[in-house]
């Protein structure tokens, strides 16, 4: 199985401080998040298409081109509206307990073990070869998003890669961990 990070590039105020990034700063943050995802060994970075406030992702190919200019190896930028839509149902569903949210909520809710169990169960049910994670939530500051990605890369991905074999035919980040040089034209 391969693992990626997904964003719809929502731009909402931080739930605690009320601070709202400028569109320029939010887009720059998305590019930095993609660079970090590559450094941490994720296989792909996805951008979903949404039109109108609070989303800034009406042209994913433009954002993915900016990401491709900053990433070094054959990191797979990914764009498909259906993938973005898959993560939306259920995320607004009120849960009665933290256990219920951990078991049935978004992929990265719960302890590392619970997250692994949830993704393994989804893989068994649907047989998917690519799992995307989203860290965009309620205007979460970049340092918190990067912390979640670092914890996921350190505590969840190794277990998932052990339990779910990679069946895709092209090299993954785990097989090709050495960054390739950026072509001069892309700098």
């Amino acid at each position: 199985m391969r693992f990626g990070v997904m964003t719809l590039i929502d731009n909402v105020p931080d739930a605690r401080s009320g601070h709202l990034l400028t569109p320029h700063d939010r887009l720059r943050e998305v590019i930095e998040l993609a660079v970090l995802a590559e450094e941490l060994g994720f296989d792909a970075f996805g951008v979903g298409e949404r039109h109108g406030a609070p989303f800034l992702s009406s042209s994913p190919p433009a954002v993915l081109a900016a990401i491709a200019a900053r990433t070094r190896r054959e990191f797979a930028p990914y764009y498909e509206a259906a993938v973005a839509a898959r993560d939306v149902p259920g995320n607004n569903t009120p849960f009665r307990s933290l256990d219920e949210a951990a078991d049935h909520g978004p992929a990265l809710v719960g302890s590392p073990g619970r997250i692994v169990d949830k993704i393994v169960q989804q893989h068994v049910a649907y047989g998917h070869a690519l799992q995307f994670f989203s860290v965009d939530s309620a205007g979460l500051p970049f340092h918190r998003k990067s912390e979640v990605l670092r914890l996921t890369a350190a505590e969840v991905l190794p277990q998932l890669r052990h339990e779910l074999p990679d069946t895709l035919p092209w090299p993954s980040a785990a097989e090709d961990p050495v960054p390739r040089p950026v072509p001069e034209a892309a700098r």
Side-chain angles (χ1 to χ4, degrees):
M1 178 173 260
R2 305 277 174 94
F3 304 96
V5 177
M6 180 74 180
T7 183
L8 297 177
I9 314 181
D10 61 333
N11 195 25
V12 296
D14 180 291
R16 288 187 176 179
S17 70
H19 176 71
L20 179 66
L21 294 174
T22 66
H24 174 81
D25 287 342
R26 177 65 175 112
L27 289 169
R28 188 178 68 223
E29 178 184 275
V30 167
I31 294 166
E32 293 304 318
L33 197 63
V35 169
L36 177 63
E38 178 189 40
E39 290 171 3
L40 294 173
F42 286 88
D43 299 295
F45 192 87
V47 176
E49 183 174 334
R50 294 291 184 273
H51 297 271
F55 302 102
L56 304 176
S57 59
S58 61
S59 181
V63 176
L64 293 171
I67 290 168
R70 291 283 314 281
T71 53
R72 298 181 67 73
R73 65 176 170 72
E74 290 180 15
F75 185 62
Y78 192 79
Y79 161 59
E80 184 174 327
V83 173
R86 178 193 68 213
D87 292 331
V88 174
N91 288 355
N92 294 324
T93 304
F95 297 108
R96 291 179 287 240
S97 70
L98 287 176
D99 283 339
E100 188 177 340
D103 290 339
H104 304 290
L108 293 180
V109 173
S111 68
R114 269 196 155 147
I115 292 168
V116 168
D117 290 346
K118 190 179 343 183
I119 292 168
V120 167
Q121 288 172 3
Q122 290 173 358
H123 176 74
V124 168
Y126 303 111
H128 59 295
L130 182 60
Q131 170 71 48
F132 276 99
F133 300 106
S134 176
V135 293
D136 286 340
S137 179
L140 203 61
F142 183 80
H143 75 278
R144 294 291 308 214
K145 293 175 188 179
S146 61
E147 179 182 306
V148 169
L149 281 187
R150 288 178 196 285
L151 287 170
T152 302
E155 298 183 26
V156 174
L157 292 188
Q159 291 180 56
L160 287 172
R161 285 194 166 115
H162 176 74
E163 292 197 33
L164 301 172
D166 182 2
T167 59
L168 296 175
W170 59 88
S172 71
E175 297 165 337
D176 186 18
V178 179
R180 295 190 177 122
V182 176
E184 194 65 37
R187 291 182 191 176

